Amino acid sequence: MRDILPALHHWYADSAPFGLATVVGVSRSAPRDPGAAMAVGPGDEVVGSVSGGCVEGAVFELAQEVVASGEARLETFGYSDDDAFAVGLTCGGEITLLVRPVTPERDPAFGAVAESVLDGRPVTVATVTDGPAPRGATLAVWPDRVSGTLGAPGLDVAVTADARGELALGATGVRHYGPHGERREDDVSVFLHSFAPPPRMLVFGAIDYAAAVARVGDFLGYRVTVCDARPVFATPRRFPPGVEVVVDWPHRYLRGTVTDERTVICVLTHDPKFDVPLLEVALRRPAAFIGAMGSRRTHDERAKRLTEAGLTDADLARLRSPIGLDLGARTPEEVAVSVAAEIVALRWGGSGTPLTATRGAIHPSP
């Protein structure tokens, strides 16, 4: 959704109706996660994808139909052996899509939501997918305000509370309620789509490897900051546009920086006077990934110093060192791919094993 929002915002500002299809449920080896979106706008322009090409033709027609009728639709696509020409997913999975028309009259908050997401401000959009409440009705929930309604005050109150909880976690998924927001009923299905600010990647050590890691981090959707105490290396021209470059002692900068459970910390300083004080701070704060570059000998010496500084075995177990997966990487760009591969594997519980050597679903159910 983030990728196609600029186009949607433009259509919305021009009061051009468009059909928006959003993945609200998946099972087995589905190609896209909940929140993936595709839209059909003026002149039959298409942006986004919900399946990587398997069902986009059918979704294109659905989007046109909901714009013409003004009624949202809930459709499920799966795999069928019975008809080789049937629309479905060749991967064997199943996706459920909510396809709804969007106009300023039907969704007055859409413009404000788009602006918040594009500006990196947190917001959750709650949309009715099924049940006695109006399908396609939306409620936009910010940390300090709401806009819209799902059709019943009690339902709005319950969903608002849950939406703010999901937003704090950066989580997206379906919740179930009674018609008036009753917690123990499941008559109404509501899709909560959280747009938390992009997670941060903190890269320490402005060396050539850092430029490559920063580039890959930016590609993966992280808000990247590179920090080094040496101003001769920490210069913006050595890094991709959009990457923040800070001149400061790494441990001092990290101590004054907010991190959370999504933050990635890559220590590439490769110098004990920088990386030991830095890791002493990093391993005592929340982060999704903490990795450090260096040989196995460097790692052993670093671990000894960190233990002497008071870190426990549990603290050190969080450290991914030497950083990266074993890809045989040599160049800075190859090393960056190795680092990114380990970050992705840790995030989703992947093994790093070649798929040819594994069995079962390629994309496990969330």
Side-chain angles (χ1 to χ4, degrees), residues 169-308:
L169 298 173
T172 287
V174 175
R175 291 288 189 100
H176 302 280
Y177 307 87
H180 301 286
E182 297 88 344
R183 294 285 182 179
R184 297 186 179 182
E185 300 183 26
D186 58 2
D187 300 305
V188 181
S189 299
V190 179
F191 180 63
L192 302 180
H193 193 176
S194 297
F195 295 94
R200 297 197 69 186
M201 173 182 281
L202 306 177
V203 181
F204 295 96
I207 59 176
D208 48 358
Y209 292 100
V213 169
R215 188 174 300 112
V216 172
D218 180 67
F219 176 76
L220 291 176
Y222 288 93
R223 182 162 62 93
V224 183
T225 297
V226 176
C227 175
D228 198 303
R230 301 162 295 184
V232 67
F233 296 118
T235 59
R237 67 176 178 274
R238 300 184 65 234
F239 297 93
V243 171
E244 180 186 29
V245 180
V246 174
V247 179
D248 200 352
W249 278 84
H251 70 283
R252 183 170 61 192
Y253 174 76
L254 183 59
R255 190 176 289 125
T257 299
V258 175
T259 64
D260 60 26
E261 287 74 11
R262 301 185 302 150
T263 303
V264 166
I265 299 174
C266 298
V267 180
L268 312 181
T269 46
H270 209 253
D271 185 332
K273 71 174 178 289
F274 291 125
D275 58 21
V276 171
L278 170 61
L279 288 170
E280 187 179 350
V281 176
L283 292 169
R284 288 182 167 131
R285 58 168 50 223
F289 176 95
I290 303 172
M293 178 175 281
S295 66
R296 299 194 188 281
R297 178 180 176 182
T298 298
H299 168 74
D300 291 341
E301 293 176 351
R302 192 160 46 205
K304 179 181 177 182
R305 295 189 184 202
L306 290 169
T307 300
E308 292 171 350

Side-chain angles (χ1 to χ4, degrees), residues 283-284 303 306-318:
L283 292 169
R284 288 182 167 131
L306 290 169
T307 300
E308 292 171 350
L311 271 74
T312 66
D313 289 343
D315 294 328
L316 293 177
R318 300 178 61 206

Side-chain angles (χ1 to χ4, degrees), residues 7-362:
L8 305 189
H9 196 203
H10 176 71
W11 295 343
Y12 187 86
D14 287 346
S15 297
F18 59 89
L20 177 62
T22 305
V23 177
V24 297
V26 301
S27 66
R28 300 189 299 278
S29 188
R32 302 298 301 275
D33 290 326
M38 167 182 161
V40 179
D44 292 338
E45 182 180 354
V46 177
V47 293
S49 171
V50 292
S51 74
C54 299
V55 302
E56 266 68 7
V59 176
F60 175 81
E61 294 179 0
L62 278 171
Q64 291 179 315
E65 290 172 9
V66 301
V67 169
S69 69
E71 300 293 331
R73 300 257 303 265
L74 189 70
E75 297 286 342
T76 297
F77 295 92
Y79 178 79
S80 173
D81 293 319
D82 299 328
D83 185 353
F85 296 97
V87 175
L89 303 180
T90 58
C91 59
E94 183 177 277
I95 60 173
T96 299
L97 305 177
L98 177 69
V99 189
R100 64 185 182 94
V102 179
T103 65
E105 293 75 26
R106 295 179 183 277
D107 194 345
F110 187 90
V113 168
E115 290 174 1
S116 292
V117 177
L118 293 172
D119 290 342
R121 289 179 278 117
V123 62
T124 294
V125 178
T127 308
V128 174
T129 62
D130 205 7
R135 177 175 290 160
T138 61
L139 176 71
V141 181
W142 288 267
D144 58 350
R145 70 187 195 280
V146 299
S147 179
T149 180
L150 302 182
L155 182 60
D156 290 346
V157 170
V159 171
T160 295
D162 289 344
R164 286 183 174 143
E166 298 290 82
L167 186 58
L169 298 173
T172 287
V174 175
R175 291 288 189 100
H176 302 280
Y177 307 87
H180 301 286
E182 297 88 344
R183 294 285 182 179
R184 297 186 179 182
E185 300 183 26
D186 58 2
D187 300 305
V188 181
S189 299
V190 179
F191 180 63
L192 302 180
H193 193 176
S194 297
F195 295 94
R200 297 197 69 186
M201 173 182 281
L202 306 177
V203 181
F204 295 96
I207 59 176
D208 48 358
Y209 292 100
V213 169
R215 188 174 300 112
V216 172
D218 180 67
F219 176 76
L220 291 176
Y222 288 93
R223 182 162 62 93
V224 183
T225 297
V226 176
C227 175
D228 198 303
R230 301 162 295 184
V232 67
F233 296 118
T235 59
R237 67 176 178 274
R238 300 184 65 234
F239 297 93
V243 171
E244 180 186 29
V245 180
V246 174
V247 179
D248 200 352
W249 278 84
H251 70 283
R252 183 170 61 192
Y253 174 76
L254 183 59
R255 190 176 289 125
T257 299
V258 175
T259 64
D260 60 26
E261 287 74 11
R262 301 185 302 150
T263 303
V264 166
I265 299 174
C266 298
V267 180
L268 312 181
T269 46
H270 209 253
D271 185 332
K273 71 174 178 289
F274 291 125
D275 58 21
V276 171
L278 170 61
L279 288 170
E280 187 179 350
V281 176
L283 292 169
R284 288 182 167 131
R285 58 168 50 223
F289 176 95
I290 303 172
M293 178 175 281
S295 66
R296 299 194 188 281
R297 178 180 176 182
T298 298
H299 168 74
D300 291 341
E301 293 176 351
R302 192 160 46 205
K304 179 181 177 182
R305 295 189 184 202
L306 290 169
T307 300
E308 292 171 350
L311 271 74
T312 66
D313 289 343
D315 294 328
L316 293 177
R318 300 178 61 206
L319 178 59
R320 317 288 289 195
S321 174
I323 194 171
L325 296 186
D326 180 15
L327 304 183
R330 294 292 185 271
T331 67
E333 291 74 19
E334 290 174 343
V335 169
V337 171
S338 166
V339 172
E342 185 177 23
I343 292 170
V344 172
L346 183 63
R347 177 181 180 185
W348 297 110
S351 66
T353 304
L355 290 173
T356 53
T358 64
R359 290 182 172 275
I362 296 174

